[in-house]
Amino acid sequence: MTRKLFWDDPYRTRLETRIAGVDGDEITLEATILYALSGGQESDAGTIGGFEVLEARKDGREIRYRLAPGHRLAPGDAVAVAIDWERRYRLMRLHFAAEIVLELVMARLPGIHKVGAHIAADKARIDFAWNEPLTPLLPEFAERAARIVTADTPVLSGFSDEAAERRFWEIPGFARVPCGGTHLRRTGEIGALTLKRRNTGKGKERIEIALADAQASAVP
């Protein structure tokens, strides 16, 4: 089973490891820092042994990476793994922003149900089953989220069940939530946000979340 080091240190951008298995264009690694699509959070972009990762997918608790045909990598080969840090950091910021907004919405509107979510590098979205426009509440959600960001509170994360790879994040005094994504160290890293409501059909409401800046963050 691949050791998932993106949980130990989501700020790590390079790793020396070995190929664990090869099945045509797909490979597995002994250890990895490349996150695969899960929980609505898109996969990282990066390279393995200098080859671009075309797809990263979960297979049970394993992660399989698809490379271009003709990579010629073999089990046991030593390889360098590198991630696109700018993409990873934007995904982390938007992921955590979406988590905060979701908790605010669920607390404010008992009975509302999340029916979907997606976190990309340009924006995040959360879909709800709800029969009324959420537009009047967006300023309230934005203001409360901004207070959490400005407080620059430490974000705790870890395993609730390590054997089953069940993880959580926690902002003390705010929420403790099951989640297996990559998380920030502090809420202040999110920065300023914008929220927008979209109607995606009868009985459905969508909140889109975007970063208000286009900052290019340096590798920590």
Side-chain angles (χ1 to χ4, degrees):
M1 183 67 62
T2 302
R3 290 183 292 122
K4 302 171 180 67
L5 302 183
F6 48 69
W7 284 332
D8 298 331
D9 182 5
Y11 294 78
R12 186 169 182 172
T13 62
R14 291 189 62 85
L15 172 70
E16 300 292 330
T17 187
R18 292 185 180 276
I19 301 294
V22 176
D23 182 8
D25 299 339
E26 287 194 335
I27 66 165
T28 55
L29 298 171
E30 291 183 359
T32 188
I33 55 173
L34 270 159
Y35 185 83
L37 172 67
S38 181
Q41 180 179 328
E42 289 187 359
S43 303
D44 288 324
T47 59
I48 297 173
F51 297 97
E52 181 183 0
V53 176
L54 303 180
E55 180 185 26
R57 67 177 181 88
K58 291 188 68 177
D59 181 7
R61 280 186 274 167
E62 187 58 273
I63 299 179
R64 302 188 182 279
Y65 301 103
R66 183 168 61 85
L67 309 179
H71 56 73
R72 297 184 180 177
L73 294 173
D77 284 355
V79 289
V81 180
I83 65 167
D84 178 339
W85 168 250
E86 299 301 333
R87 174 180 170 80
R88 158 69 70 82
Y89 197 49
R90 289 186 68 83
L91 285 169
M92 287 169 64
R93 293 170 66 202
L94 281 163
H95 178 188
F96 212 74
E99 293 277 10
I100 288 173
V101 171
L102 175 61
E103 291 303 305
L104 292 173
V105 172
M106 300 296 281
R108 179 68 169 78
L109 298 171
I112 197 169
H113 296 287
K114 184 186 83 168
V115 293
H118 188 82
I119 296 92
D122 59 338
K123 65 182 176 181
R125 63 168 173 80
I126 314 170
D127 294 336
F128 299 95
W130 195 246
N131 289 315
E132 299 177 17
L134 292 175
T135 309
L137 294 175
L138 289 189
E140 174 186 333
F141 295 143
E143 190 275 333
R144 293 185 65 189
R147 279 188 293 177
I148 294 170
V149 171
T150 302
D152 194 26
T153 306
V155 178
L156 310 177
S157 61
F159 286 103
S160 55
D161 184 339
E162 188 167 2
E165 295 189 337
R166 295 194 185 99
R167 290 180 59 80
F168 69 91
W169 65 261
E170 180 178 6
I171 299 175
F174 175 65
R176 178 182 170 116
V177 177
C179 183
T182 52
H183 300 304
L184 301 170
R185 294 179 180 134
R186 306 186 68 89
T187 61
E189 294 178 65
I190 295 171
L193 300 171
T194 62
L195 304 184
K196 181 184 294 185
R197 174 259 184 182
R198 289 195 184 277
N199 185 337
T200 60
K202 186 176 181 180
K204 293 183 181 179
E205 290 285 304
R206 171 175 293 175
I207 295 180
E208 293 183 343
I209 303 149
L211 303 176
D213 62 72
Q215 75 179 49
S217 50
V219 175

